[in-house]
Amino acid sequence: MEGVMMKNRDRYAVAVRKPDQQIEIKVSDCKPSPGSRKVRNLPVIRGVVNFIESLVLGMKTLMYSAEFFEDEEENKKEIKKKTLSEEEKKKLEEKEKRQEKVLMGGTVVFSLVLALAVFFALPYFLSGFFLKLTGSETLTALMEGVLRLVIFLGYIALISLTPDIKRVFMYHGAEHKCINCIEHGLPLTVENVKKSSRLHKRCGTSFLLIVMLVSILFFMFIRVDSRPLQMLLRLVFIPVIAGVSYEFIRLAGRCENRLVNLLSKPGLLLQRMTTKEPDSGMIEVGIASVEAVFDWKKWQEEEMP
């Protein structure tokens, strides 16, 4: 959609370019539950918690940004609201919030199930034909990993051809360029953001690719005779794989070790597909989202040498 979400600790901002070309900014809290606070600093587990929270937050902000591009039917609903009493409006809004939560929950569950089916179950079952030919569990696990990567890259390439996704990738590029601009000590202006890189080591795209690669290593060691049990064990290990992948992304974003930088290269190359160069208007939206939740001037004074 036409916007950028920026998160800083327990607050996040969504900046959206509305149809009238004005920028709407919404700032909200996203304080984690008491239970998640206790495990947030535990290695691997914090990656699973962060992934789930990011997925829910992403869906929530996507639905919010979509509200600015409602069709005629939605506009009629807004007009109808104006004819209701305050009590009726309150009841209707509460009902809509409940429906929104149900829809968001259903969307998250459906997305997870579809992702597991396409990127994990499908490569596994296709690799079964390779096992019949070779009889080698190791080669079959490698082939399964190759198929998973091919399906994943093919999916990214396919959706990038649609105009709407191209614009999403341009806003994704604006987000990265704003962050890189700040982290390189430059004032957050449109011109400086334009000169900054659209690639960043802490990107979610890199995380997904690392998940694909780490899964190859994990699945090579699952050696049981039952194919259904193998599939079940793969699903059980997915949270662990996500947690390990998160730890790598976290490490990559904090150090400049040559080996870590080398291992980060595949993710940065993939970002050339999932980020595009934004225009000035998109950069303005990115800057608005950053400044809504982050005092970048103070951060540069304290953190930059």
Side-chain angles (χ1 to χ4, degrees), residues 104-270:
M104 184 172 66
T107 302
V108 170
V109 172
F110 175 77
S111 299
L112 285 173
V113 172
L114 184 62
L116 291 174
V118 174
F119 300 119
F120 284 91
L122 180 60
Y124 173 74
F125 285 114
L126 291 177
S127 68
F129 296 103
F130 191 78
L131 177 62
K132 294 178 181 179
L133 293 175
T134 64
S136 172
E137 292 282 354
T138 301
L139 290 178
T140 301
L142 287 173
M143 178 56 65
E144 179 188 348
V146 170
L147 288 171
R148 184 173 296 110
L149 284 172
V150 170
I151 293 172
F152 177 64
L153 295 175
Y155 169 77
I156 296 295
L158 185 62
I159 64 172
S160 66
L161 298 177
T162 63
D164 287 344
I165 296 299
K166 284 182 180 179
R167 291 192 65 80
V168 170
F169 286 171
M170 290 172 75
Y171 276 107
H172 190 196
E175 174 193 347
H176 283 194
K177 289 168 81 73
C178 286
I179 296 172
N180 279 321
C181 178
I182 295 170
E183 292 183 345
H184 285 82
L186 299 174
L188 192 61
T189 65
V190 173
E191 290 304 316
N192 286 335
V193 172
K194 281 183 177 180
K195 294 183 290 186
S196 301
S197 172
R198 72 175 197 267
L199 311 180
H200 199 283
K201 289 190 291 185
R202 294 197 303 271
C203 175
T205 302
S206 295
F207 169 78
L208 292 176
L209 182 60
I210 294 299
V211 166
M212 300 293 173
L213 296 175
V214 171
S215 68
I216 298 176
L217 298 177
F218 269 77
F219 295 163
M220 285 181 65
F221 293 97
I222 297 179
R223 300 296 179 90
V224 293
D225 294 332
S226 172
R227 293 283 288 177
L229 182 57
Q230 284 182 354
M231 186 68 244
L232 178 61
L233 290 174
R234 277 161 167 72
L235 295 176
V236 169
F237 271 107
I238 286 175
V240 180
I241 293 169
V244 172
S245 302
Y246 174 82
E247 293 302 320
F248 175 79
I249 293 296
R250 192 168 183 266
L251 174 65
R254 293 187 171 191
C255 75
E256 292 297 328
N257 179 277
R258 289 185 177 181
L259 177 60
V260 173
N261 286 340
L262 179 63
L263 294 175
S264 299
K265 288 291 184 183
L268 294 174
L269 288 173
L270 181 59

Side-chain angles (χ1 to χ4, degrees), residues 22-53:
Q22 298 298 311
I23 298 177
E24 180 80 13
I25 303 172
K26 179 183 178 182
V27 179
S28 304
D29 293 327
C30 55
K31 293 181 180 180
S33 62
S36 66
R37 280 190 182 278
K38 295 179 182 179
V39 300
R40 185 169 294 279
N41 292 324
L42 295 177
V44 179
I45 296 177
R46 61 189 170 196
V48 179
V49 174
N50 187 276
F51 172 72
I52 295 173
E53 290 181 348

Side-chain angles (χ1 to χ4, degrees), residues 77-110:
K77 290 181 181 180
E78 292 299 320
I79 295 174
K80 183 179 179 181
K81 281 184 182 180
K82 295 178 181 179
T83 64
L84 302 176
S85 65
E86 290 301 320
E87 184 178 350
E88 289 174 328
K89 284 182 181 179
K90 186 176 180 180
K91 289 182 178 180
L92 181 59
E93 288 174 357
E94 290 177 352
K95 180 181 178 181
E96 288 177 345
K97 286 181 180 179
R98 289 195 298 269
Q99 291 175 339
E100 181 180 333
K101 287 182 179 179
V102 172
L103 177 61
M104 184 172 66
T107 302
V108 170
V109 172
F110 175 77

